[in-house]
């Protein structure tokens, strides 16, 4: 089990596999959660910035979450406790049916929580690429991770 103490800023993790985006899934997701014409109809999409049917950004985020969970499950189990949210979500390029996306996760910081000494907060920059290695989405993910020894003293944050 990987605990907060085992995690090192600067570590980069790549998803071992990609996720293939299908036309059916794009339309199904959009019809339920983001029913804008450019996610549902080829002709309507041709008249927009996208130029053709594209996945909703929220669908891209959901597919990315799938890749993140699969990547965590493939590695050593993590003592994860959930997430308080994400920051700086940017959709950079459209994702189209037929694209294959993959994720690269780089831990950028971690700190013990003074209010909850049994857990720590990690921050990771998450970058999503298509099959052409083009960046399509990025965000900062915040993760809550169980501390191995909650009785250990909390070190002061280093000066910036």
């Amino acid at each position: 089990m990987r605990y907060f103490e085992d995690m090192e800023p600067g570590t980069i993790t790549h998803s071992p596999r990609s996720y293939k985006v299908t036309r059916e899934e794009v339309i199904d997701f959009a019809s339920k959660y983001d029913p804008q014409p450019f996610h549902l109809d080829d002709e309507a999409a041709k008249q927009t910035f996208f130029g053709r049917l594209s996945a909703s950004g929220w669908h891209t985020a959901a597919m990315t979450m799938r890749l993140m969970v699969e990547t965590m499950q493939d590695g050593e189990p993590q003592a994860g406790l959930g997430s308080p949210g994400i920051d700086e979500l940017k959709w950079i390029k459209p994702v189209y049916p037929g694209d294959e996306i993959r994720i690269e996760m780089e831990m950028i910081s971690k700190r013990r929580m003074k209010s909850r000494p049994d857990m720590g907060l990690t921050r990771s920059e998450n970058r999503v690429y298509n099959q052409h290695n083009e960046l399509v989405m990025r965000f900062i993910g915040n993760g809550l991770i169980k501390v191995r020894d909650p009785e250990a003293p909390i070190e002061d944050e280093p000066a910036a």
Side-chain angles (χ1 to χ4, degrees), residues 4 111-121 144 154:
F4 176 78
R111 68 176 172 84
R112 262 305 270 289
M113 298 183 69
K114 290 182 173 139
S115 63
R116 293 284 312 264
D118 59 325
M119 65 176 66
L121 179 69
L144 298 171
I154 297 174

Side-chain angles (χ1 to χ4, degrees), residues 6-160:
D6 304 322
M7 300 184 167
E8 291 297 325
T11 302
I12 297 175
T13 305
H14 299 268
S15 56
R17 55 189 158 272
S18 60
Y19 188 94
K20 177 90 171 195
V21 182
T22 69
R23 174 184 172 76
E24 296 75 25
E25 190 176 21
V26 166
I27 292 170
D28 184 55
F29 184 96
S31 66
K32 291 176 184 173
Y33 306 109
D34 191 358
Q36 298 183 75
F38 43 84
H39 298 316
L40 295 168
D41 180 76
D42 292 304
E43 289 306 311
K46 285 180 187 176
Q47 307 305 313
T48 69
F49 155 82
F50 301 106
R52 60 187 169 123
L53 192 73
S54 65
S56 162
W58 297 112
H59 185 195
T60 301
M63 292 182 283
T64 298
M65 186 68 202
R66 171 75 183 241
L67 284 170
M68 290 173 67
V69 170
E70 287 177 351
T71 299
M72 287 185 265
Q73 289 173 342
D74 284 348
E76 184 179 357
Q78 193 177 87
L81 299 169
S83 171
I86 63 171
D87 298 318
E88 302 176 30
L89 174 63
K90 303 281 185 200
W91 293 302
I92 297 160
K93 288 185 74 87
V95 171
Y96 299 107
D99 282 353
E100 289 191 42
I101 61 171
R102 62 181 176 77
I103 188 167
E104 178 180 274
M105 301 170 282
E106 180 176 1
M107 182 181 293
I108 55 177
S109 68
K110 72 176 199 174
R111 68 176 172 84
R112 262 305 270 289
M113 298 183 69
K114 290 182 173 139
S115 63
R116 293 284 312 264
D118 59 325
M119 65 176 66
L121 179 69
T122 61
R123 289 178 53 82
S124 297
E125 181 177 347
N126 298 280
R127 297 175 290 265
V128 182
Y129 297 92
N130 65 17
Q131 69 277 11
H132 305 294
N133 291 323
E134 298 168 322
L135 185 65
V136 298
M137 186 176 82
R138 71 166 292 283
F139 61 95
I140 303 296
N142 301 296
L144 298 171
I145 309 295
K146 185 176 177 140
V147 170
R148 181 180 289 111
D149 181 8
E151 301 301 320
I154 297 174
E155 297 177 19
D156 287 334
E157 299 272 306

